[in-house]
């Protein structure tokens, strides 16, 4: 209990602060809770007129600072100077930007609840509500487009809040944040809200150079403490003994001892599983089942929980496993409320579509308090899951990492099933930043006393590695900014070529590049000194060891060249053999997952690239094989009759024909000759000559030859690394400006910029195309590639420039015959021209059009049923998920909208684009929840 004197002093301090910061005092009165120190510090800086960068953990309450900027704008505080001639200054505005539409919708509703619908607007790709309001919530791209267009809506803008500003590290969209920060008028105060990053000071230094005074407020403190655990089999351990051990990364001794003992038992064979597969050599670990994990969390009072599984299929399977295990986490009253919420949100969806979407299984899971959450789900289904989870009705959500991005779904506990995820190209370890972001969901402010993060142990998971992830705060913000064609014409059009170069050089990307050059130059100097030291160690008194080592390197290079030559010859032979195949030929696939006998169903190459025959294996798999599946030429072993209209999608037809393949009596694996026939290395004249020179060299007789060679090899590697560092130093200095110059040269050559640097009509059209393949879209418009198409055909044709498959598919997707195929062929031809132009100028190449969405959107625009549309998706794992279909269809609609408004499109094409939008915007595309 404080004394009367202390209470009086505290009251005096509060009164002094209230007189110094009246707007903050007024704002804080309505909050209903006391501001944290970092929130107060940031808000005071804002009221003083400074920009702010706030870095704090997930759930710490950063958005309070953004909401204070909204309060300042609506209050009309005197931050903006008086208008000249005594004119009354216009009202002040605040734009609140977020990286994703779902976050914009969420923040819009929050601000409407607080300030009223008349004061708040929303602008996203899907919604435009009250856009002239003094406070407008929008996606960052919308603000970028406004800045380039010189929109009248910017008049009176005083504050811009950039929520989740660490998104500027995103390699696909991050550059938009830098464009906005650079182009905002100097009179606008910027409020940047970021997750905890380790280079906040560096980012703030850049903000000061481009925005002026910026106060940095960093808070490492989590308002709800987070406890880290590991689940080993059926036992739960604390990762750290106490907070002091956590700071030192000291893993709990009991956890270390138990995991070591478990690994030892597995290695001794005690952990082998019984039953099918149990006889295999080597240890086999069976971790806790997903239903058991959820049940354990329920018994220990750790629900609601988010269980991160880095696979869409894994999330759906986890819910099914819990249902099969009979888990039920809800009361009868909660089940009734869940059903009421769900039914109110899906009333517009026809019954036949609900069945296709797996509605009844989804509802069964929800009523038991279980749900999946991933990008493949229908958006309205995801929104229902989010609402029910936040209300505490759904207790366990199995989610991919996309849930960690922005959406406000805090939980009491977070579980990580693995510490490895697929990033679209390969399986990679989680970074400390990703681990922090995922576990940051645990602990709901005002509800939970503490949050809990649980990592499920497996023999590959070292507790010390987890401790490093949990304790490391190395999450540096790295710029992903690079000039694009659209950006170049907009910059040149608004400020001119030379000022545009200067603007690019003021980007965070160039700021970081210039700073890193200092460190790289120091490393080059250190390497040079080390190379000299290695040279002394490699010296040989018998002769010139550099010359001798050069011969060894030349021999190794020649051997590799001969091996590569052999590979090329083998591949050429395999390609030629596949091109000769006919329907009914029985061949043997020598290796890979499809190894064994197969019958050719369709030998067609598709007229595009390598031959990829469609085959049916004796294991009943039907699909296309490639030359990569053959280490030796394909040999026809027999022939069987294939029915004329054979349907390889029919299980019964596949079964019968596979039986015929097996009935040939041929050996599935053949003789399996050991190893590939290798050309004897000694037969190569050049290699023989090099080896003779090596043996004659004086250093060959040195007894310390191999020791000298080890030092020489180290020196060679370090020289190679140093050369790369020197190239990076040269490449980073002024790198963005050089890229910009190349883009300007390409655009000038193609007629988008005039030789005198002015923007042409074609350039103005390009400046209003907002898509990754902006130049390709502009070229298609100029060449009339999409003219004369029907609405459904246009939707299919434009889809190839926006769609990108999640994973590479071996075979090329099919296309509707006729006008669509012609338009896509013309698009591919234009892409080839652009790609060649880019490669010649050393520019990043525009992504190749992807045909995988043409059939689904074509069928949808023609009014076909959802089930048929999803089944026509060109997916590895069967039909296209509904969520993916909706997301890509909306991107097609967005591009069609740009065509409808484009001055470079013909009147007929604009009209067709509007019709195509109407044709696509039906059914599941119309189910999104209005803001």
């Amino acid at each position: 209990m404080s004394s009367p004197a202390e209470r009086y002093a505290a009251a005096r301090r509060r009164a002094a602060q209230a007189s110094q910061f009246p707007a903050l005092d007024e704002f804080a009165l309505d909050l209903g809770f006391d501001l944290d120190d970092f929130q107060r510090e940031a808000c005071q800086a804002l009221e003083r007129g400074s920009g702010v960068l706030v870095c704090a953990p997930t759930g710490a309450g950063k958005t309070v600072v953004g909401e204070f900027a909204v309060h300042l704008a609506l209050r009309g505080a005197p931050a903006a100077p008086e208008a000249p001639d005594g004119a009354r200054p216009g009202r002040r505005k605040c734009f609140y930007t977020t990286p994703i539409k779902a976050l914009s919708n969420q923040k819009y509703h929050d601000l409407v609840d607080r300030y009223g619908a008349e004061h708040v607007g929303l602008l996203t790709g899907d919604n435009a509500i009250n856009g002239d309001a003094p406070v407008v919530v929008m996606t960052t791209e919308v603000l970028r487009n406004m800045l380039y267009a010189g929109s009248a809506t910017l008049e009176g803008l005083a504050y811009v809040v950039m929520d989740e500003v660490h998104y500027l590290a995103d390699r696909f969209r991050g550059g938009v944040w830098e464009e906005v920060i650079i182009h905002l008028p100097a009179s606008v105060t910027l409020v940047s809200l970021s997750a905890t990053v380790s280079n906040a000071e560096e980012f703030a230094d850049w903000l000061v150079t481009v925005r002026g005074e910026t106060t940095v407020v960093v808070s490492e403190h989590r308002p709800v403490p987070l406890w880290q655990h590991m689940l080993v089999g059926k036992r739960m351990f604390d990762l750290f003994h106490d907070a002091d051990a956590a700071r030192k990364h000291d893993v709990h001794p009991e956890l270390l001892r138990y995991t070591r003992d478990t690994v030892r038992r597995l290695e001794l064979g005690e952990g082998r599983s019984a039953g099918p597969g149990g006889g295999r050599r080597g240890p086999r670990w069976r971790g806790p089942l997903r239903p058991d994990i959820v049940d354990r969390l329920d018994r220990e009072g750790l629900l609601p929980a988010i269980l991160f599984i880095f696979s869409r299929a894994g999330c759906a399977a986890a819910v099914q496993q819990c249902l099969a295990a009979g888990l039920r986490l809800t009361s009868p009253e909660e089940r009734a409320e869940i059903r009421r919420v769900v039914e109110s949100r899906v009333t517009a969806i026809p019954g036949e579509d609900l069945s296709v979407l797996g509605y009844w299984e989804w509802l069964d899971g929800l009523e038991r308090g279980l749900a999946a959450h991933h990008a493949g789900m229908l958006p309205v289904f995801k929104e229902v899951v989010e609402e029910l989870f936040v209300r505490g009705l759904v207790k366990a959500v199995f989610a991919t990492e996309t849930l960690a991005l922005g959406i406000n779904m805090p939980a009491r506990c977070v579980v990580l099933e693995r510490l490895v995820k697929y990033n679209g190209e390969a399986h990679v370890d989680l970074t400390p930043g990703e681990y922090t972001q995922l576990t940051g969901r645990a602990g709901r402010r005002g509800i939970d006393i503490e949050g809990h993060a649980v990592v499920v142990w497996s023999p590959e998971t070292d507790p010390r590695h987890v401790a490093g992830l949990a304790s490391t705060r190395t999450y540096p913000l790295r710029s992903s900014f690079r000039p694009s064609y659209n950006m170049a014409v907009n910059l040149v059009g608004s400020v001119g070529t030379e000022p545009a170069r200067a603007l690019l050089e003021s980007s965070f990307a160039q700021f970081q590049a210039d700073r890193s050059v200092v460190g790289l130059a120091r490393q080059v100097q250190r390497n040079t000194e080390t190379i000299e030291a290695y040279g002394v160690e490699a010296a040989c008194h018998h002769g010139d060891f550099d010359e001798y080592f050069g011969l060894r390197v030349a021999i190794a290079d020649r051997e590799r060249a001969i091996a590569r030559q052999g590979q090329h010859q083998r591949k050429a032979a395999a390609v030629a053999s596949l091109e000769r195949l006919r329907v009914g030929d029985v061949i043997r696939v020598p290796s890979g997952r499809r190894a064994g006998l197969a019958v050719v169903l369709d030998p067609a190459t598709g007229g595009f690239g390598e031959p990829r025959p469609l085959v049916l294996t004796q294991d009943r798999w039907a699909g296309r094989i490639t030359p990569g599946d053959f280490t030796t030429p394909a040999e026809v072993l027999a022939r069987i009759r294939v029915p004329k209209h054979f349907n390889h999608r029919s299980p019964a037809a596949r079964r019968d024909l596979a039986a015929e393949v097996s009935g040939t009596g041929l050996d599935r694996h053949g003789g399996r000759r050991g190893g590939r026939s290798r050309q004897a290395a000694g037969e190569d004249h050049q290699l023989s000559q090099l080896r003779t020179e090596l043996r004659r060299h004086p250093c060959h007789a040195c007894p310390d030859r191999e020791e000298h060679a080890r030092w020489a090899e180290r020196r060679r590697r370090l020289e190679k690394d140093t050369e790369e560092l020197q190239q990076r130093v040269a490449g980073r200095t002024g790198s963005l400006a050089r890229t910009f110059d190349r883009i300007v040269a390409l655009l000038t050559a193609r007629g988008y910029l005039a030789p005198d640097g002015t923007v042409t009509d074609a350039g103005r059209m390009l400046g209003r195309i907002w898509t990754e393949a902006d130049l390709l879209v502009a070229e298609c418009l100029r060449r009339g590639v999409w003219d004369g198409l029907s609405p459904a055909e246009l939707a299919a044709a434009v889809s190839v420039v926006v769609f990108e498959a999640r994973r590479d598919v071996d075979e090329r997707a099919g296309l509707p015959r006729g006008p669509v195929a012609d338009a896509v062929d013309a698009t591919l031809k234009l892409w080839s021209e652009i790609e060649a132009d880019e490669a010649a100028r050393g520019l990043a190449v525009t992504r190749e059009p992807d045909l995988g969405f043409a059939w689904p959107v074509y069928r949808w625009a023609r009014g076909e049923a959802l089930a048929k549309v999803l089944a026509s998706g060109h997916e590895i794992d069967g039909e296209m998920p509904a969520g993916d279909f909706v997301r890509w269809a909306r991107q097609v609609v967005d591009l069609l909208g740009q065509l409808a408004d484009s001055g470079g499109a013909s009147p007929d094409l604009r009209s067709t684009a509007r019709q195509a939008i109407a044709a696509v915007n039906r059914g599941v595309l119309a189910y999104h929840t209005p803001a």
Side-chain angles (χ1 to χ4, degrees):
M1 192 72 163
S2 57
S3 66
E6 287 170 335
R7 288 199 296 273
Y8 175 70
R12 286 283 300 271
R13 278 197 302 275
R14 282 196 299 273
Q17 280 187 346
S19 61
Q20 193 177 354
F21 302 104
L24 178 57
D25 191 56
E26 185 184 292
F27 174 72
L29 284 174
D30 295 335
L31 283 177
F33 58 85
D34 290 337
L35 289 170
D36 290 340
D37 289 346
F38 86 91
Q39 293 168 329
R40 187 173 296 280
E41 182 187 348
C43 291
Q44 287 174 353
L46 258 185
E47 191 164 354
R48 283 196 302 269
S50 169
V52 292
L53 167 64
V54 183
C55 299
T58 303
K62 298 183 286 288
T63 52
V64 167
V65 183
E67 287 167 8
F68 181 58
V70 171
H71 176 82
L72 286 174
L74 290 174
R75 187 175 185 265
E82 284 268 331
D85 306 324
R88 201 178 75 165
R91 65 177 181 168
R92 299 172 60 203
K93 292 181 180 178
C94 175
F95 287 172
Y96 198 113
T97 72
T98 72
I100 50 180
K101 293 171 187 174
L103 257 183
S104 294
N105 292 337
Q106 197 174 63
K107 182 51 66 177
Y108 168 73
H109 289 301
D110 292 346
L111 293 175
V112 165
D113 290 344
R114 177 157 188 172
Y115 297 109
E118 69 278 9
H119 291 120
V120 184
L122 175 69
L123 293 173
T124 67
D126 297 334
N127 290 300
I129 302 169
N130 198 15
D132 293 323
V135 176
V136 185
V137 182
M138 62 184 69
T139 51
T140 317
E141 278 86 353
V142 169
L143 178 53
R144 186 269 312 271
N145 298 356
M146 277 186 189
L147 288 166
Y148 280 143
S151 170
T153 313
L154 296 167
E155 194 176 330
L157 183 61
Y159 297 93
V160 166
V161 179
M162 300 196 81
D163 203 353
E164 311 277 352
V165 77
H166 53 272
Y167 246 82
L168 68 77
D170 182 87
R171 65 190 177 118
F172 297 113
R173 299 170 54 215
V176 177
W177 274 254
E178 288 187 54
E179 287 181 78
V180 168
I181 291 169
I182 292 169
H183 292 305
L184 276 175
S187 59
V188 175
T189 300
L190 187 68
V191 181
S192 306
L193 309 179
S194 170
T196 310
V197 292
S198 54
N199 61 335
E201 289 74 19
E202 179 187 38
F203 185 48
D205 287 347
W206 174 68
L207 285 174
V208 168
T209 64
V210 293
R211 303 296 318 160
E213 186 186 354
T214 303
T215 302
V216 188
V217 180
V218 178
S219 173
E220 294 278 1
H221 174 68
R222 276 182 55 97
V224 180
L226 178 66
W227 292 96
Q228 309 271 354
H229 312 277
M230 285 199 81
L231 182 61
V232 187
K234 294 184 178 180
R235 290 191 60 179
M236 185 92 80
F237 294 89
D238 290 338
L239 184 59
F240 304 113
H241 185 266
D242 53 29
D244 190 45
R247 279 191 293 274
K248 296 176 182 173
H249 301 200
D250 289 342
V251 178
H252 200 298
E254 193 180 345
L255 168 61
L256 276 178
R257 191 164 49 248
Y258 188 81
T259 52
R260 282 173 188 154
D261 289 347
T262 305
V263 169
R264 201 173 297 118
R265 284 198 303 275
L266 288 169
E267 288 171 350
L268 292 171
E270 292 177 25
R272 291 183 198 168
S273 60
R280 289 186 298 180
R281 289 184 298 170
R284 177 85 180 270
W285 167 255
R286 285 192 180 278
L289 299 173
R290 290 158 176 167
D292 294 342
I293 294 174
V294 175
D295 186 52
R296 173 75 178 268
L297 297 176
D298 187 27
R299 283 187 280 110
E300 298 201 10
L302 293 179
L303 296 181
I306 299 170
L307 297 94
F308 284 109
I309 299 172
F310 302 120
S311 149
R312 296 178 180 187
C315 292
V319 175
Q320 291 306 313
Q321 290 157 12
C322 291
L323 294 179
L327 271 186
R328 193 182 292 279
L329 307 172
T330 51
S331 66
E333 295 77 20
E334 288 173 327
R335 286 196 287 279
E337 177 61 12
I338 287 167
R339 184 172 277 271
R340 187 196 65 76
V341 170
V342 171
E343 288 178 348
S344 69
R345 297 288 291 276
V346 300
T347 48
I349 306 179
E352 62 270 21
D353 284 359
L354 288 178
S355 300
V356 174
L357 297 167
Y359 168 76
W360 301 106
E361 296 86 347
W362 175 68
L363 177 60
D364 185 25
L366 289 177
E367 288 187 330
R368 297 194 195 196
L370 301 157
H373 187 288
H374 56 75
M377 292 170 62
L378 194 68
V380 72
F381 282 17
K382 278 199 302 181
E383 290 162 14
V384 168
V385 171
E386 290 160 12
E387 179 184 339
L388 294 176
F389 189 79
V390 169
R391 289 179 56 183
L393 294 169
V394 165
K395 318 289 184 180
V397 168
F398 297 93
T400 56
E401 77 274 17
T402 51
L403 178 62
L405 302 175
I407 302 299
N408 183 27
M409 272 181 68
R412 180 168 295 165
C413 178
V414 162
V415 177
L416 298 181
E417 191 175 78
R418 299 178 67 206
L419 296 177
V420 175
K421 68 167 191 173
Y422 186 75
N423 67 357
E425 295 171 0
H427 287 89
V428 295
D429 291 336
L430 285 185
T431 65
E434 289 166 334
Y435 182 90
T436 302
Q437 198 168 30
L438 294 168
T439 56
R441 294 269 166 209
R444 297 163 298 174
R445 190 169 192 177
I447 302 174
D448 300 321
I449 299 167
E450 57 194 25
H452 298 268
V454 179
V455 174
V456 180
W457 181 85
S458 68
E460 301 79 40
T461 310
D462 185 345
R464 287 165 298 192
H465 173 62
V466 181
L469 288 175
S471 310
T472 307
R473 290 291 174 264
T474 51
Y475 179 46
L477 205 52
R478 292 276 173 257
S479 172
S480 60
F481 180 80
R482 60 185 176 87
S484 66
Y485 299 113
N486 166 286
M487 185 195 303
V489 292
N490 279 310
L491 279 174
V492 171
S494 55
V495 297
T497 306
E498 283 308 312
R501 289 177 95 255
L503 272 173
L504 286 173
E505 290 186 321
S506 69
S507 68
F508 187 43
Q510 193 61 58
F511 184 83
Q512 285 191 311
D514 292 344
R515 279 198 168 189
S516 68
V517 162
V518 177
L520 290 175
R522 285 201 195 106
Q523 186 62 48
V524 167
Q525 181 59 38
R526 283 195 295 270
N527 285 4
T528 304
E529 292 167 4
T530 308
I531 286 167
E532 290 173 6
Y534 285 174
V536 172
E537 296 291 342
C540 175
H541 65 283
H542 283 267
D544 185 349
F545 199 85
D546 286 349
E547 185 181 65
Y548 177 76
F549 187 71
L551 286 170
R552 290 175 66 139
V553 171
I555 288 169
D557 289 345
R558 182 61 187 162
E559 286 174 341
R560 278 194 291 271
I562 291 169
R564 279 196 300 272
Q565 188 180 350
Q567 287 171 352
H568 289 318
Q569 288 170 351
R570 282 193 296 274
K571 184 170 182 183
V575 168
S577 68
L578 292 185
E579 285 173 341
R580 291 194 294 268
L581 294 178
R582 295 177 299 158
V583 175
D585 285 348
V586 177
I587 60 173
R588 183 180 291 116
V589 181
S591 59
R593 285 188 304 163
R594 310 302 176 196
L597 298 175
V599 59
V600 177
L601 305 177
D602 174 19
T605 62
F608 197 83
E610 297 175 337
R612 292 178 174 178
L614 178 66
V615 302
L616 173 71
T617 68
Q618 63 189 116
D619 297 325
R620 305 182 193 175
W621 174 82
R624 294 197 180 271
I625 53 174
T626 70
D629 295 317
F630 291 83
T631 51
T632 56
E635 184 184 348
V636 178
L637 306 171
R639 281 187 59 76
I640 61 175
R641 183 181 167 279
V642 177
K644 190 170 183 181
H645 299 293
F646 181 77
N647 178 10
H648 69 273
R649 298 187 187 280
S650 162
R654 287 204 308 269
R655 181 193 63 217
D656 294 343
L657 191 58
E660 279 196 57
V661 174
S662 298
T664 58
L666 293 166
D667 182 6
R668 179 188 184 96
H669 300 297
R672 285 207 168 186
R673 292 187 299 274
R676 294 174 179 167
S677 61
R678 281 179 45 188
Q679 175 187 359
E683 289 174 15
D684 182 74
H685 175 69
Q686 186 181 345
L687 192 57
S688 299
Q689 196 172 351
L690 285 168
R691 284 179 171 160
T692 302
E693 287 180 44
L694 184 79
R695 285 191 293 271
R696 288 176 181 167
H697 199 283
C699 292
H700 194 65
C702 177
D704 298 324
R705 180 184 70 197
E706 294 308 313
E707 182 67 18
H708 294 322
R710 277 192 285 274
W711 285 109
E713 176 61 25
R714 287 173 191 158
R715 182 177 65 173
R716 187 174 77 92
R717 286 181 185 167
L718 195 57
E719 282 172 340
K720 192 176 176 185
D721 291 346
T722 305
E723 194 178 318
E724 287 176 5
L725 285 174
Q726 288 168 331
Q727 287 172 356
R728 282 163 66 189
V729 168
R732 289 188 182 186
T733 310
S735 53
L736 285 179
R738 277 200 303 277
T739 303
F740 175 71
D741 290 343
R742 292 168 187 163
I743 287 174
V744 167
L746 187 150
L747 292 174
T748 304
R750 286 183 168 267
Y752 293 93
L753 295 174
D756 63 357
T758 56
V759 180
T760 64
D761 288 343
R764 279 185 281 279
M765 172 191 70
L766 174 60
R768 292 293 165 267
I769 295 171
W770 313 99
T771 182
E772 194 183 342
D774 45 13
L775 182 58
L776 180 55
V777 171
E779 288 288 298
C780 286
L781 285 173
R782 291 175 75 190
R783 309 277 185 97
V785 166
W786 297 324
D787 290 346
L789 298 176
S790 70
E793 290 166 348
L794 179 61
V798 303
S799 75
V800 303
V801 298
V802 295
F803 178 72
E804 184 175 8
R806 289 177 67 228
R807 299 186 184 182
D808 289 338
V809 181
D810 281 343
E811 61 179 298
R812 186 190 185 203
L815 288 169
R817 293 180 187 276
V820 174
D822 294 342
V824 171
D825 283 343
T827 305
L828 286 167
K829 187 169 180 291
L830 283 175
W831 171 78
S832 297
E833 292 173 12
I834 292 170
E835 181 201 30
D837 212 346
E838 290 167 330
R841 296 175 191 274
L843 289 167
V845 173
T846 298
R847 181 173 58 80
E848 183 178 0
D850 191 321
L851 283 52
F853 195 58
W855 264 118
V857 77
Y858 176 71
R859 285 182 162 153
W860 182 253
R862 290 179 61 190
E864 295 188 26
L866 181 63
K868 191 172 180 182
V869 168
L870 297 182
S872 65
H874 189 64
E875 297 283 309
I876 291 177
D877 304 321
E879 67 177 34
M880 173 173 272
D884 286 348
F885 172 72
V886 170
R887 185 169 75 257
W888 289 115
R890 283 185 181 163
Q891 290 203 26
V892 169
V893 166
D894 179 70
L895 181 53
L896 288 169
Q898 294 180 44
L899 299 186
D901 297 335
S902 173
S906 66
D908 286 346
L909 179 59
R910 291 204 294 272
S911 172
T912 305
R914 282 189 282 272
Q915 293 171 49
I917 291 169
V920 175
N921 265 335
R922 65 175 182 91
V924 284
L925 269 295
Y927 300 158
H928 70 79
T929 309

